[in-house]
Amino acid sequence: MPLNVENAAEKADRDRVGSIDVFRGLTMFLMLFVNDMNDPDLGHVSGVPVWMEHAPGNVDAMTFVDVIMPAFLFSVGLCIPLAFQKRLQQGGSIPKAVLHVLIRSLGLIIIGLGMVNTYRFHPSAMPISPGLWELLFFVSAILVWNRYPKRDGRTPALFMGLRFLGVLMLLALAVIYRGTDGDGVTWMRTSWWGILTVIGMAYFVVSLAYLFLHRDHAAMVGVVALLTVLNIAERTGALPFLEPIRPYFSTGGILGGLGSITAAGAVAGMLFMSDWKTRPARERIRWLLGFALALFVAGILLRPPYGISKLAETPAWCLLSSAICVAVFAFLYWLVDLKGRSAWARFAMPAGRQPLLAYFMPHLFYSLLLVLGIDFLQEHLNAGYVGITRSLVLALLLIGLVKLLSKAGVNLRL
């Protein structure tokens, strides 16, 4: 999700699809790059070409930047079938799998809601600086959700103590948090749900659908269609009982629209299940390209009524983004798994193996700069192509730090 809940299962099986790691690594690299350019609370670069920014919410258009979050969601879905196949083959039950889904979804939602509130600090009402609060929040999250080594099947007391310390720190940070809503002082609340939160929700919905539909491929294609219908239905007012919660939570946009992208990833991932292993690789590629074409046509047909908009999570944007992700994944499967050409993507692999840690890195980096009082990047190298180059280099450096932290024992997976 969620970011990497499926990675351990893939590693246990060397038949895993290398293109999944490459797809996920490239997605994380691009996310680090464009977030540094476009997120005002991170690096932010002025004078960036329009095609390197998110399309405005009132414009019927999308840029490549608008496809990166869907690629994140798609990669979550890609890994769901392989992970649960391994879990069930090792003797796991459906109830245990459901509990697994619930725990990991809640973890993402908790982290996501904490991250959302870092955008609305009330500095004068806080007992510590916003930069220190944010730094401690991410350090605490790493302590809680790090996968510590085990001995004799048990986690040593030291590591359990570190996890408990992380929980206490998160509780303390929640208690002292103060935010702003206009001129007032508030506690934690949602202003928007945040990427990790919506990924947790989409993961929950699609995983349960996958498990309770008995891992049926055709049924999961139907889930993509059903979630798209849910997205449309809320917009047409066909679900009046959802109107009271719509100002706070878009069931159609979040569960329907974003969920449909994750479900599309699960459909693609199911092509690498055990019952597909005897089929020729070219059949997988044909299926993926046909699926991408169907999603693309559906997106074009649904463009007139709602337009293409990431901010509004319109059906056309969701379907077109899914089509692009499926087509790119089909190409990567051909290039990486069939042709064996993966060395070119080695730079991104640490982020592909630990996407949640990679997602944390810019927040850790910039909050540390705030604590140290270093504002060089806010005042220099922050405009035009010089700033773009800086964001590119920083994304590569942060992936390098992910690799170093991984070697040091940080194994952040929900």
Side-chain angles (χ1 to χ4, degrees):
M1 223 256 194
L3 296 184
N4 209 21
V5 293
E6 329 308 352
N7 204 34
E10 291 176 80
K11 281 188 175 181
D13 180 2
R14 260 330 301 178
D15 284 337
R16 85 178 189 205
V17 186
S19 49
I20 292 180
D21 278 341
V22 172
F23 184 93
R24 193 164 47 196
L26 294 176
T27 297
M28 292 310 305
F29 165 69
L30 289 174
M31 180 168 283
L32 292 174
F33 172 48
V34 301
N35 280 355
D36 192 70
M37 285 193 301
N38 296 317
D39 191 330
D41 290 288
L42 295 177
H44 189 62
V45 176
S46 61
V48 172
V50 172
W51 62 271
M52 299 185 77
E53 297 180 321
H54 289 291
N58 59 350
V59 175
D60 177 22
M62 61 190 294
T63 68
F64 92 93
V65 179
D66 294 323
V67 185
I68 294 175
M69 179 187 171
F72 210 169
L73 289 160
F74 183 84
S75 67
V76 171
L78 267 177
C79 299
I80 287 174
L82 296 172
F84 285 117
Q85 176 176 258
K86 191 69 178 180
R87 180 173 291 272
L88 296 174
Q89 285 177 346
Q90 291 177 341
S93 64
I94 295 296
K96 287 183 179 179
V98 171
L99 180 62
H100 169 90
V101 169
L102 179 61
I103 291 172
R104 278 141 184 80
S105 299
L106 286 175
L108 280 175
I109 290 170
I110 290 169
I111 297 172
L113 290 176
M115 290 182 67
V116 164
N117 280 277
T118 63
Y119 294 91
R120 42 181 305 276
F121 286 121
H122 195 302
S124 62
M126 296 270 289
I128 61 176
S129 70
L132 181 58
W133 192 99
E134 186 170 357
L135 179 64
L136 292 175
F137 173 80
F138 286 103
V139 170
S140 302
I142 291 173
L143 291 175
V144 173
W145 281 284
N146 188 43
R147 184 169 294 182
Y148 297 102
K150 293 184 178 182
R151 297 174 185 170
D152 302 323
R154 295 182 298 175
T155 304
L158 171 62
F159 298 139
M160 292 297 293
L162 289 174
R163 181 166 284 140
F164 183 66
L165 174 63
V167 172
L168 290 180
M169 289 173 63
L170 285 177
L171 291 173
L173 290 170
V175 169
I176 67 172
Y177 177 87
R178 295 295 182 271
T180 181
D181 185 8
D183 296 327
V185 178
T186 67
W187 192 61
M188 288 185 171
R189 62 173 59 182
T190 58
S191 49
W192 70 295
W193 288 98
I195 292 177
L196 291 186
T197 300
V198 299
I199 286 176
M201 294 175 181
Y203 169 77
F204 180 77
V205 169
V206 175
S207 294
L208 291 188
Y210 175 77
L211 289 170
F212 288 110
L213 291 173
H214 306 290
R215 286 84 68 194
D216 183 86
H217 199 208
M220 287 304 296
V221 174
V223 169
V224 177
L226 183 63
L227 292 174
T228 301
V229 169
L230 174 61
N231 194 3
I232 296 170
E234 187 188 42
R235 295 170 195 279
T236 60
L239 303 173
F241 60 91
L242 294 177
E243 287 301 317
I245 66 171
R246 190 169 183 180
Y248 312 100
F249 183 84
S250 171
T251 306
I254 294 176
L255 297 186
L258 302 184
S260 72
I261 300 171
T262 307
V267 168
M270 292 177 77
L271 298 178
F272 302 90
M273 301 280 286
S274 55
D275 55 343
W276 272 81
K277 287 185 177 179
T278 58
R279 304 190 189 188
R282 61 178 178 272
E283 188 174 340
R284 286 194 185 95
I285 293 178
R286 282 199 301 263
W287 205 100
L288 286 168
L289 292 178
F291 186 40
L293 179 61
L295 291 167
F296 179 80
V297 170
I300 293 298
L301 291 175
L302 287 173
R303 181 179 183 180
Y306 310 107
I308 301 173
S309 174
K310 174 188 179 295
L311 293 180
E313 296 155 349
T314 62
W317 171 74
C318 295
L319 290 164
L320 293 174
S321 296
S322 295
I324 293 169
C325 290
V326 174
V328 169
F329 177 67
F331 171 74
L332 290 175
Y333 172 63
W334 171 80
L335 183 66
V336 173
D337 294 293
L338 302 187
K339 296 298 181 180
R341 298 177 182 174
S342 60
W344 61 274
R346 193 172 299 160
F347 75 95
M349 296 308 285
R353 295 189 179 104
Q354 291 222 56
L356 184 57
L357 180 59
Y359 188 71
F360 280 8
M361 289 309 298
H363 299 275
L364 285 164
F365 176 73
Y366 279 105
S367 60
L368 179 61
L369 292 185
L370 280 174
V371 170
L372 297 176
I374 300 173
D375 57 3
F376 180 84
L377 293 181
Q378 277 70 34
E379 298 180 358
H380 303 85
L381 308 176
N382 61 351
Y385 288 103
V386 171
I388 293 171
T389 303
R390 184 218 58 195
S391 295
L392 182 64
V393 171
L394 182 60
L396 294 171
L397 290 175
L398 291 178
I399 292 176
L401 286 175
V402 170
K403 184 176 182 179
L404 291 176
L405 288 173
S406 299
K407 290 182 176 180
V410 178
N411 189 6
L412 189 59
R413 297 187 184 125
L414 285 173

